[in-house]
Amino acid sequence: MIKLESIYKSFEGRTVLDDINFSFEDGKTNLIIGQSGSGKTVLMKCIVGLLTPEKGHILYDSRDFNAMDKKEKKALRREMGMIFQSAALFDSLSVLENVMFPLDMFSNDTYRDRVKRAQFCLDRVNLTDAQNKYPGEISGGMQKRVAIARAIALQPKYLFCDEPNSGLDPKTSLVIDALIHDITTEYNMTTIINTHDMNSVMGIGDSILYIYQGHKEWEGTKNDVFTATNERLNNFIFASDLLRKVKDEGLKQR
Ligand SMILES: Nc1ncnc2c1ncn2[C@@H]1O[C@H](COP(=O)(O)OP(=O)(O)OP(=O)(O)O)[C@@H](O)[C@H]1O
Ligand SMILES: [Mg+2]
């Protein structure tokens, strides 16, 4: 579990995160949702330690991130997997080499075992046949799957995904969502996903934190979304008239 206690972050006197409190649970896909500019990426960067909040605490299974020394932070980093907005693969490395990269960096396993582990991860995302290809030779959805395989290579306890579906068509997005959800439950990871994809909210929103202009506006699950009375959340989720109608019809049938 990752727990946030009163997180504040500002840039040049402008508050971007204002008193964020939330618990991201194990074995669940925890979504951070909100409009562009609401603070999702800044919050994720604070959680993983790329930015430092001015106030507040981030507890990794009760361990306070701010109170850790360099060595403890390094050990914790090894327990984190990350998937960024762009797949961020190394173009000059093959698919297999990309997945092996964190193993080459951080594990003491033999070359043979590292290859085996990377192949296992590629198999998990259904990419066994692509291992000798280069990122430039595969589709965007396949690149995302390689990024997922690379992120889970070191068997992380915590998985962070910033807009994993950006640039993907709706069908491929569903495949990526399902994959992230499956590996989260399978390995009991604490997974945090930044998204403004409504299919993701309804599909894998085990736990949802809705941020509005830097503060926590609402929290709940995908099932709570339908009956939520928070006007800002409804305006965000059911932005189009069509979706409003779907919601109203859905409620009538309950
Ligand atoms: N390094 C920075 N310096 C100054 N302001 C920043 C910095 N990083 C982010 N911001 C500001 O913080 C606010 C939140 O940005 P953030 O990137 O977290 O939004 P987001 O919710 O991830 O948006 P999107 O959905 O477009 O990715 C924005 O107003 C942004 O301009
Ligand atoms: Mg962002």
Side-chain angles (χ1 to χ4, degrees), residues 25-30 124 148 152 155-159 161 176-193 203-207 222:
E25 293 170 47
D26 305 347
K28 287 192 177 172
T29 39
N30 300 275
R124 184 64 194 79
I148 294 172
I152 61 170
Q155 292 176 284
K157 268 168 95 165
Y158 314 101
L159 184 66
C161 317
I176 297 296
D177 279 351
L179 188 55
I180 294 174
H181 191 264
D182 288 353
I183 56 177
T184 296
T185 44
E186 199 173 316
Y187 304 126
N188 200 34
M189 291 185 291
T190 304
T191 297
I192 305 180
I193 303 166
I204 58 166
D206 294 339
S207 156
K222 61 180 180 184

Side-chain angles (χ1 to χ4, degrees), residues 40-41 85 162-163 194:
K40 303 180 295 295
T41 297
Q85 205 148 350
D162 195 359
E163 307 279 356
N194 281 352

Side-chain angles (χ1 to χ4, degrees), residues 11-12 14 16 34-43 85 163 196:
F11 292 105
E12 289 124 27
R14 195 171 71 86
V16 169
Q35 269 163 356
S36 183
S38 57
K40 303 180 295 295
T41 297
V42 170
L43 181 58
Q85 205 148 350
E163 307 279 356
H196 37 215

Side-chain angles (χ1 to χ4, degrees), residues 35-240:
Q35 269 163 356
S36 183
S38 57
K40 303 180 295 295
T41 297
V42 170
L43 181 58
M44 187 171 277
K45 283 184 174 171
C46 286
I47 299 171
V48 302
L50 288 171
L51 287 172
T52 311
E54 279 100 13
K55 277 197 266 177
H57 295 279
I58 299 161
L59 305 173
Y60 277 84
D61 292 305
S62 311
R63 301 170 290 173
D64 190 337
F65 188 77
N66 296 336
M68 290 181 193
D69 60 26
K70 252 189 168 169
K71 207 174 144 198
E72 288 168 313
K73 279 187 182 161
K74 201 174 161 196
L76 178 65
R77 290 232 164 81
R78 184 141 166 358
E79 298 178 331
M80 299 179 183
M82 292 181 209
I83 301 161
F84 294 104
Q85 205 148 350
S86 57
L89 300 174
F90 302 109
D91 290 335
S92 59
L93 300 182
S94 71
V95 163
L96 181 69
E97 288 164 344
N98 262 284
V99 179
M100 283 182 70
F101 188 78
L103 299 165
D104 295 343
M105 292 287 286
F106 293 111
S107 92
N108 298 319
D109 294 344
T110 63
Y111 178 76
R112 240 184 109 118
D113 284 345
R114 280 180 276 138
V115 171
K116 256 185 157 166
R117 173 71 192 158
Q119 284 172 333
F120 173 85
C121 294
L122 281 171
D123 192 40
R124 184 64 194 79
V125 299
N126 285 322
L127 276 182
T128 307
D129 295 340
Q131 65 169 2
N132 294 321
K133 292 205 156 65
Y134 284 82
E137 300 172 321
I138 59 176
S139 72
M142 290 165 87
Q143 290 178 11
K144 283 279 155 69
R145 283 190 279 152
V146 176
I148 294 172
R150 187 175 61 182
I152 61 170
L154 287 165
Q155 292 176 284
K157 268 168 95 165
Y158 314 101
L159 184 66
F160 302 93
C161 317
D162 195 359
E163 307 279 356
N165 294 336
S166 67
L168 300 181
D169 64 77
K171 222 170 178 178
T172 308
S173 297
L174 290 180
V175 172
I176 297 296
D177 279 351
L179 188 55
I180 294 174
H181 191 264
D182 288 353
I183 56 177
T184 296
T185 44
E186 199 173 316
Y187 304 126
N188 200 34
M189 291 185 291
T190 304
T191 297
I192 305 180
I193 303 166
N194 281 352
T195 186
H196 37 215
D197 181 342
M198 288 312 129
N199 287 323
S200 304
V201 173
M202 296 308 182
I204 58 166
D206 294 339
S207 156
I208 301 165
L209 163 61
Y210 171 49
I211 300 185
Y212 180 84
Q213 292 183 357
H215 71 260
K216 179 169 79 177
E217 176 73 26
W218 182 88
E219 64 181 290
T221 69
K222 61 180 180 184
N223 296 325
D224 301 330
V225 165
F226 270 102
T227 49
T229 52
N230 185 299
E231 202 47 35
R232 283 175 179 154
L233 178 82
N234 283 330
N235 286 338
F236 175 64
I237 302 253
F238 305 102
S240 72

